[in-house]
């Protein structure tokens, strides 16, 4: 009925009860609140637990086994049923026999017994309830004890919570105090570290001073600790400079500066003494005995390479403090002076060893039979030797020192023996071809190509061009001087011989048929030069040659008479000079010389034309000028004549009709008039560049072509000119007839003269066409002024074939003139753009 666990703890089992004397007393379980607490750090005051309640196990008989008892059918039958059941129970031993010790004899006895039995049964039936009631009372007492213990525990926990809060507050306060102490400790530690860090820059002064002032400080230079000591001085100086407000910072900075200067001075002294010791040993060995080249090289270079890396590291201590830092500046002057002393001492020491040997070797080359009288051979041999020495010295310098600040000054001193021999020879050299060959040798072998100037120079190789630049400048200066002398003597002051002016007979000395062009080879280039009997010369072709400089000199000394056969001497010399100095001198200098050459050549051609005009005719002089000015124009195309310096500006606003004005004023070839006209602004301002010379040449060519075409057209139209019309009794028909006769007479002469001077058919046809156009202009002007106004009274041919007794109109006259002049228009229209640019237009422009 009662199955709860707590109930079974109090209800005794139904087994047979043992003897009470031997039955152990049972105690209830101890309260959970009294369990041991190993985790509490503070032991509270123990509370009174629930008292143990002893219990005696109440023994009840083992329940009787289940039987099927007869049930009473009525109250009267109950008596019999009970008796039989009791009898049976007694027999079975289920009922104590003492219970029925009283003998029932009467109904009253039975009634008493029954009542007593009923009371016992009732009492027996209520025993469990009483027992349960006692258990409830006991449980109530136990629960009351639990509540009391719980209240005590809660009170204890409340006191513990209050204690814990107090401890937490105390702990927080303690933690705050600890953090404050820790922060203060860190501050003090940092302050101590800062003080120690600052003091190290002050404490380093005394030990470094003692080491610098020690007697053997010079021998300590190569040690690693010495470099560390110099680095410490650098850091101390930097600190003192960045903290000028510290106490005695200026004093310490000055003392550290003195120590660093002394330390670097010791480095310089050690470097120089080591260098001199090696040089002294080498000098002594060289002086003791004669040495061959191999032994000499071993002494001069191998001996110096032994201690070079270590001394270079030592010398670098001075250089890295003397050079300014990129983006920061710096670099002390006194340290730079120490670096310069290293360079100077090294250069002086090496110079005493090398320069005498170089001078001796150059003297031997100069006295050799193959180079004693040949400038180019001497330059080739001596420069090759000097370059080898410079390469060896450059390599050794980089093994000893860092940087190239004083390197090229030292190498220039090695080249001085070469200059002592080469410069006098260049000054006394009068052959222009030798000077050109020398300039070509220096430019092609030892100088950088101007087109490759943008490429970075390889720092791992010696740049020999600055060392040979003075020799090249000397050669170019002498070349320019000789060019000016030849220009003055053989072009400007040239006096033509009688056979030079024998025109047109001179044209007959050469056949008119075209011959193959000859190629003139000049300093490694081939210029295609056209003979004067060919068509108008085209632009020269420049062909690069890969020939060695050691070829025979015959390619420099070619026969100009054979190459430019039939040309006027000044023109031949001008083209020869331009071909020689081209790309051998500076572009600005070449522009100046080219302008002078072209200008003086055109002047000499005009002088010759004036002499030819007085001896032969104006037509011959004009065709002479046209022929040679065209040749000059075509030949100078190969010499980069389009080069213009940015500083040069040109004003052509007042020179629009310059050459027409010159022709009308006369005296074109008088030098005084030329200077006066130039000063008056009638010619473009002549400045020293090739473009002005080209403009001048084009202007003179236009003028002579205009004069030539105008002269022929004027002679052909004299009968219809204004002067002829102004005379009395003018007959237009007769005048036109006379003009036709003059045209028919002059055209063959025109063509014959052109054939004598100009072999190019297109040029000739262009000039004939220009004359025809001028003739038609003159006739049209005549017709408009003097014929169309009188057309009503006179006889004028309108269309179709003109009659001899009529004045022809312009179209009829033009048709007739085309048949007389017979200009090959198809050949002229088929010219390409290049030929058309060189053809002569109607106005005489090229």
């Amino acid at each position: 009925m009662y199955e709860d666990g707590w109930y079974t703890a109090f209800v005794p089992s139904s087994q047979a009860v043992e003897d009470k004397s031997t039955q152990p007393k049972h105690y209830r379980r101890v309260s959970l609140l009294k369990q041991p607490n190993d985790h509490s750090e503070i032991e509270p005051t123990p509370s009174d637990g629930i008292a143990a309640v002893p219990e005696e196990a109440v023994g009840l008989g083992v329940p009787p086994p289940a039987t099927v008892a007869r049930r009473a059918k009525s109250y009267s039958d109950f008596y019999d049923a009970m008796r039989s059941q009791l009898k049976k129970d007694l027999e079975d031993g289920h009922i104590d026999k003492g219970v029925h010790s009283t003998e029932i004899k009467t109904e009253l006895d039975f009634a008493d017994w029954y009542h007593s039995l009923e009371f016992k049964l009732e009492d027996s039936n209520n025993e469990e309830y009483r027992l349960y009631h006692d258990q409830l009372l006991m449980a109530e007492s136990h629960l009351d004890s639990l509540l009391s213990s719980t209240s005590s525990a809660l009170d204890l926990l409340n006191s513990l919570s209050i204690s814990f809060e107090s401890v937490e507050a105390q702990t927080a306060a303690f933690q705050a105090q600890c953090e404050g102490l820790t922060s203060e400790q860190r501050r003090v530690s940092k302050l101590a570290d800062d003080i120690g860090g600052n003091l190290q820059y002050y404490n380093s002064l005394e030990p470094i001073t003692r080491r610098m002032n020690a007697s053997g400080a010079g021998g300590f230079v190569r040690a690693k600790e010495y470099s560390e000591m110099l680095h410490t001085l650098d850091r101390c100086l930097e600190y003192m400079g960045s903290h000028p407000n510290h106490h005695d910072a200026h004093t310490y900075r000055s003392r550290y500066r003195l120590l660093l200067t002394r330390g670097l001075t010791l480095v310089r002294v050690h470097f120089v003494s080591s260098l001199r010791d090696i040089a002294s040993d080498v000098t002594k060995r060289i002086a003791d005995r004669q040495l061959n080249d191999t032994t000499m090289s071993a002494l001069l270079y191998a001996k110096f390479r032994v201690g070079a890396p270590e001394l270079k590291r030592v010398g670098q201590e001075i250089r890295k403090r003397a050079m300014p830092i990129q983006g920061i500046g710096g670099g002390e002057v006194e340290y730079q002076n120490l670096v310069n002393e290293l360079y100077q001492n090294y250069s002086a020491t090496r110079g005493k060893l090398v320069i005498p040997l170089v001078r001796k070797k150059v003297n031997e080359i100069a006295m050799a039979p193959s180079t004693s009288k040949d400038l180019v051979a001497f330059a080739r041999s001596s420069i090759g030797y000097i370059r080898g020495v410079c390469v060896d010295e450059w390599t050794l310098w980089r093994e000893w020192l860092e940087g190239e600040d004083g390197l090229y000054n030292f190498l220039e001193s090695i080249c001085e023996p070469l200059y002592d021999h080469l410069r006098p020879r260049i000054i006394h050299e009068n052959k222009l071809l030798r000077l050109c060959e020398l300039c070509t040798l220096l430019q092609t072998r030892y100088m950088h190509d101007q087109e490759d100037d943008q490429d970075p120079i390889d720092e791992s190789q010696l740049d020999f061009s600055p060392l040979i630049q003075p020799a090249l400048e000397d050669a170019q200066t002498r070349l320019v001087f000789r060019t000016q002398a030849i220009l003055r003597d053989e072009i400007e002051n040239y006096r033509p011989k009688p056979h030079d002016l024998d025109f047109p007979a001179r044209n007959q000395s050469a056949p008119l048929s075209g011959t193959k062009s000859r190629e003139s080879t000049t300093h490694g280039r081939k210029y295609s030069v056209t003979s004067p009997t060919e068509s108008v010369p085209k632009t020269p072709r420049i062909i690069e040659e890969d020939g060695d400089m050691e070829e025979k000199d015959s390619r420099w000394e070619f026969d100009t008479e054979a190459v430019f056969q039939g040309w006027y001497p000044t023109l031949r010399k001008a083209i020869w000079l331009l071909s020689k100095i081209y790309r051998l001198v500076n572009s600005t200098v070449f522009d100046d010389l080219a302008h002078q050459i072209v200008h003086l050549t055109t002047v000499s051609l005009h002088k010759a034309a004036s002499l030819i005009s007085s001896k032969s005719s104006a037509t011959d002089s004009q065709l002479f000028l046209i022929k040679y000015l065209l040749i000059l124009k075509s030949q100078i195309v190969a010499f980069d004549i389009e080069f213009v310096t940015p500083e040069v500006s040109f004003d052509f606003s007042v020179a629009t009709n310059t050459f027409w004005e010159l022709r009308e004023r006369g005296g074109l070839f008088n030098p005084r008039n030329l200077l006066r006209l130039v000063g008056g602004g009638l010619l473009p301002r002549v400045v020293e560049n090739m473009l002005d010379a080209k403009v001048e040449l084009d202007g003179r060519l236009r003028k002579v072509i205009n004069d030539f075409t105008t002269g022929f057209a004027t002679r052909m139209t004299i009968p219809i000119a204004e002067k002829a019309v102004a005379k009395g009794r003018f007959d237009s028909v007769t005048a036109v007839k006379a003009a036709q006769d003059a045209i028919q007479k002059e055209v063959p002469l025109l063509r014959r003269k052109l054939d004598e001077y100009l072999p190019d058919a297109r040029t000739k046809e262009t000039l004939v066409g220009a004359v025809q156009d001028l003739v038609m202009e003159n006739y049209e002007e005549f017709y408009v002024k003097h014929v169309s106004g009188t057309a009503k009274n006179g006889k004028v041919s309108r269309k179709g074939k003109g009659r001899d007794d009529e004045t022809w109109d312009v179209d009829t006259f033009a048709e007739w003139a085309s048949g007389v002049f017979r200009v090959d228009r198809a050949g002229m229209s088929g010219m390409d753009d290049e030929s058309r640019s060189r053809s002569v237009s109607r106005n005489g422009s090229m």
Side-chain angles (χ1 to χ4, degrees):
M1 179 176 177
Y2 303 99
E3 296 178 356
D4 293 337
W6 67 274
Y7 176 74
T8 57
F10 301 99
V11 178
S13 63
S14 60
Q15 299 292 335
V17 180
E18 297 180 357
D19 189 12
K20 294 181 179 180
S21 61
T22 59
Q23 183 72 22
K25 293 185 179 181
H26 179 70
Y27 292 91
R28 298 184 182 273
R29 278 188 268 180
V30 183
S31 174
L32 294 175
L33 294 177
K34 299 190 68 177
Q35 295 293 329
N37 187 5
D38 297 335
H39 301 287
S40 67
E41 297 177 358
I42 303 175
E43 296 181 1
T45 303
S47 59
D48 295 334
I50 299 175
V53 179
E55 288 184 345
E56 292 183 359
V58 180
L60 293 179
V62 176
T67 59
V68 181
R70 188 176 66 86
R71 297 178 60 185
K73 297 180 179 180
S74 62
Y75 182 79
S76 60
D77 192 37
F78 180 75
Y79 176 76
D80 295 332
M82 284 297 299
R83 291 191 64 176
S84 61
Q85 181 64 30
L86 290 174
K87 183 179 180 180
K88 186 179 180 179
D89 290 338
L90 286 174
E91 292 177 356
D92 294 337
H94 295 160
I95 300 177
D96 190 3
K97 292 181 177 183
V99 177
H100 301 282
S101 60
T102 302
E103 185 178 357
I104 300 175
K105 294 180 178 182
T106 61
E107 291 182 0
L108 291 175
D109 295 335
F110 177 77
D112 293 335
W113 174 82
Y114 180 79
H115 286 294
S116 62
L117 180 61
E118 186 178 8
F119 177 78
K120 290 181 179 180
L121 289 174
E122 183 179 0
D123 184 61
S124 177
N125 289 335
N126 292 334
E127 184 178 2
E128 294 181 1
Y129 295 101
R130 287 195 302 273
L131 178 62
Y132 183 68
H133 180 265
D134 296 337
Q135 291 176 351
L136 289 178
L137 292 176
M138 188 182 299
E140 181 181 7
S141 175
H142 180 67
L143 291 177
D144 291 340
S145 176
L146 286 177
L147 289 176
S148 177
S149 300
T150 302
S151 299
S152 301
L154 289 176
D155 294 339
L156 178 62
L157 292 175
N158 188 23
S159 63
L160 289 176
S161 176
I162 296 173
S163 301
F164 287 157
E165 291 178 357
S166 175
V167 171
E168 182 180 4
Q170 295 176 2
T171 303
F174 179 73
Q175 182 179 2
Q177 293 178 0
C178 291
E179 290 178 354
L181 293 175
T182 304
S183 176
E184 182 67 17
Q185 180 184 7
R186 287 196 298 267
R187 187 188 67 81
V188 174
S189 299
K190 184 178 181 302
L191 180 61
D193 293 339
D194 293 341
I195 293 175
N198 295 335
L199 285 178
Q200 69 176 350
Y201 298 106
Y202 292 89
N203 295 333
S204 301
L205 179 63
E206 294 301 328
I208 294 178
T209 303
R210 289 194 299 270
R211 298 185 72 174
M212 286 292 184
N213 295 330
S215 58
F220 181 60
V221 171
R222 295 195 183 188
K224 183 178 180 181
E225 291 78 6
Y226 193 84
S227 298
E228 296 176 355
M229 183 177 63
L230 294 179
H231 182 65
T232 302
L233 289 175
D234 292 335
R235 290 190 290 106
C236 292
L237 284 172
E238 182 181 0
Y239 177 82
M240 297 302 170
S242 59
H243 300 82
N245 297 327
H246 285 194
H247 184 64
D248 291 339
H250 180 71
T251 303
Y252 275 85
R253 187 172 185 273
S254 301
R255 297 184 65 181
Y256 281 133
R257 175 73 65 185
L258 293 176
L259 289 175
L260 183 59
T261 303
R262 174 172 173 75
L264 297 180
T265 304
L266 290 176
V267 171
R268 191 259 303 168
V269 171
H270 179 75
F271 185 94
V272 173
S273 62
S274 300
L275 179 64
R276 290 179 178 176
D277 292 340
I278 298 174
S280 176
D281 186 22
V282 172
T283 304
K284 183 178 180 181
R285 293 190 181 186
I286 293 176
D288 289 344
R289 56 188 181 278
Q290 293 296 113
L291 302 176
N292 55 23
D293 294 340
T294 304
T295 307
M296 185 71 69
S297 176
L299 285 176
L300 290 177
Y301 297 101
K303 182 74 173 176
F304 275 82
R305 288 190 175 97
V306 174
E310 188 173 2
L311 289 174
K312 180 180 180 179
R313 179 185 61 80
V314 173
Q316 184 65 14
E317 296 294 337
I318 303 178
R319 176 178 170 79
K320 66 184 181 183
R321 290 167 177 82
M323 296 295 102
I325 301 175
Q326 184 178 4
I328 300 178
E332 298 294 336
V333 177
E334 55 182 332
Y335 302 154
Q336 183 61 49
N337 292 334
L338 292 176
V339 175
N340 294 335
E341 289 181 9
L342 292 183
Y343 295 156
Q344 293 171 2
N345 282 277
Y346 180 86
S347 301
T349 303
R350 289 294 301 175
K352 291 179 181 180
L353 295 174
V354 177
I355 293 178
L357 301 176
V358 171
R359 182 174 287 107
K360 179 181 178 181
K361 183 65 176 180
V362 173
N363 290 335
E364 293 176 357
I365 296 175
M367 298 300 294
S370 60
T371 58
S372 59
K373 296 182 179 180
D374 190 346
L375 172 62
V376 179
F378 170 76
R380 184 182 296 111
S381 300
S382 58
I383 293 176
Y385 169 74
I386 291 294
R387 187 176 186 279
V389 174
C390 290
V391 169
D392 294 337
E393 291 299 323
W394 178 83
T395 304
L396 186 62
W397 176 287
R398 293 175 67 89
E399 294 181 6
W400 272 79
L401 299 168
E402 185 71 23
E404 299 181 355
D405 296 337
L407 173 59
Y408 282 92
N409 293 331
F410 167 58
L411 296 180
E412 286 177 2
S413 64
I414 295 178
C415 296
E416 285 299 329
L418 171 64
Y419 300 147
D420 294 340
H421 285 270
L422 189 58
R423 187 173 289 114
R425 292 195 178 201
I426 293 174
I427 294 174
H428 292 87
E429 182 61 52
N430 292 323
K431 294 182 179 181
L432 185 68
L433 294 176
R434 293 296 182 189
L435 294 173
C436 292
E437 188 176 359
L438 177 60
C439 292
T440 304
L441 170 68
L442 298 178
Q443 285 181 342
T444 56
R445 284 197 174 185
Y446 306 112
M447 303 300 294
H448 293 295
D449 191 355
Q450 295 181 357
E451 298 179 354
D452 299 336
D453 286 346
Q454 296 181 354
D455 297 338
I457 299 177
D458 188 4
E459 296 182 356
S460 62
Q461 296 181 358
L462 170 65
D463 184 12
F464 191 66
S465 57
L467 302 177
I468 205 63
Q469 183 68 31
L472 178 60
E473 292 176 356
D474 293 340
Q476 289 176 336
T477 302
R478 182 61 179 172
L479 178 61
V480 172
F481 176 79
R482 290 302 304 157
T483 301
Q484 292 176 338
I486 295 174
L487 179 62
R488 181 184 64 251
D489 298 337
E490 300 186 26
I491 296 180
E492 183 180 7
N493 298 330
Y494 178 74
R495 294 183 179 183
K497 299 178 178 60
H499 69 275
D500 294 333
L501 304 175
D502 190 11
F503 287 92
R506 186 175 174 82
N507 293 328
Q508 304 299 326
S509 61
L512 295 179
S513 61
T515 59
K516 294 183 178 178
S517 63
R518 303 175 180 89
E519 290 184 348
S520 62
T521 307
T522 58
H523 58 276
R525 298 175 177 84
K526 291 182 180 179
Y527 290 87
S528 176
V529 183
T530 309
S531 67
T533 59
E534 293 182 359
S535 60
V536 176
K538 305 291 191 302
T539 302
R541 293 183 297 109
I542 301 179
I543 303 175
E544 299 291 341
E545 285 190 354
D546 297 330
D548 197 314
M549 291 303 300
E550 296 180 359
E551 292 178 355
K552 294 182 179 180
D553 296 335
S554 60
R555 69 189 184 90
W556 292 90
E557 298 175 353
F558 57 87
D559 187 2
T560 57
E561 292 292 340
V563 175
F564 308 114
Q565 184 179 6
W567 291 10
Y568 188 70
T570 57
L571 175 62
R572 181 171 62 246
K573 185 60 68 174
I575 300 301
W576 181 80
L577 282 177
L578 288 174
S579 65
K580 293 305 174 189
I581 66 174
Y582 181 53
R583 292 185 180 176
L584 293 184
V585 294
N586 184 270
S587 60
T588 305
V589 177
F590 177 78
D591 291 341
D592 186 17
L593 289 175
H595 166 74
Q596 296 180 25
I597 292 172
V598 175
H599 173 70
L600 294 177
T601 302
T602 55
V603 171
S604 68
L605 291 176
H606 276 80
K607 290 181 180 179
S610 300
L611 296 176
I612 292 174
S613 177
S614 62
K615 291 183 179 181
S616 298
S617 64
T619 301
D620 290 321
S621 69
Q622 292 169 352
L623 288 174
F624 169 83
L625 274 179
I626 292 174
K627 172 183 177 179
Y628 288 113
L629 289 179
L630 285 175
I631 294 176
L632 179 60
K633 178 180 174 62
S634 64
Q635 291 298 313
I636 65 175
V637 174
F639 304 112
D640 298 336
I641 63 174
E642 298 298 333
F643 178 81
V644 181
T645 54
E647 295 81 4
V648 177
S649 61
F650 303 94
D651 184 12
F652 294 97
S653 60
V654 296
T656 306
N657 298 320
T658 300
F659 294 102
W660 293 100
E661 295 174 5
L662 290 174
R663 187 189 65 176
E664 293 175 359
R665 292 187 181 187
L668 174 63
F669 302 107
N670 189 338
R672 295 182 179 179
N673 290 337
L674 286 175
L675 293 176
R676 180 173 57 83
L677 293 175
V678 171
L682 294 179
L683 284 175
R685 183 170 59 92
V686 179
V687 293
E688 296 180 350
N689 59 59
M690 194 62 187
L691 183 59
D692 286 341
K694 182 182 177 182
V695 171
E696 180 185 6
L697 177 60
D698 290 342
R700 291 182 182 274
L701 186 58
R702 279 196 298 269
K703 181 184 181 303
V704 68
I705 291 174
N706 285 329
D707 292 343
F708 174 76
T709 56
T710 303
F712 264 95
T714 302
R715 288 198 298 271
M716 293 179 183
T717 58
I718 286 178
I720 58 175
E722 290 293 334
K723 293 181 180 180
V725 175
K727 295 180 180 180
R729 297 180 181 180
F730 176 77
D731 185 3
S732 61
V733 176
T734 304
V736 172
K737 180 61 177 178
Q740 291 175 346
D741 294 339
I743 292 173
Q744 291 176 347
K745 178 182 177 181
E746 291 292 335
V747 167
L749 177 62
L750 170 63
R751 288 192 173 276
R752 185 174 67 254
K753 285 294 185 181
L754 291 176
D755 291 338
E756 291 177 357
Y757 285 91
L758 301 175
D760 184 62
R762 289 174 295 186
T763 303
K764 292 186 291 185
E765 293 301 322
T766 305
L767 289 174
V768 173
V771 174
Q772 179 183 353
D773 292 342
L774 289 176
V775 169
M776 290 307 304
E777 286 183 0
N778 293 339
Y779 185 81
E780 184 178 358
E781 181 180 359
F782 159 75
Y783 184 82
V784 171
K785 289 183 179 180
H786 303 289
V787 178
S788 61
T790 60
K792 295 181 180 179
N793 299 326
K795 297 180 180 180
V796 178
S797 176
R798 295 297 181 183
K799 293 182 179 180
K801 184 177 181 181
R803 297 172 53 183
D804 294 339
D805 58 345
E806 295 178 346
T807 304
W808 293 352
D809 63 357
V810 177
D811 294 336
T812 304
F813 188 84
E815 183 179 357
W816 174 85
S818 298
V820 176
F821 281 95
R822 296 191 303 276
V823 178
D824 187 6
R825 301 288 182 180
M828 295 174 56
S829 61
M831 292 186 297
D832 55 6
D833 294 337
E834 182 181 359
S835 300
R836 189 181 300 277
S837 66
R838 294 192 299 269
S839 299
V840 184
S841 68
R842 168 181 150 180
N843 295 326
S845 62
M846 293 300 297

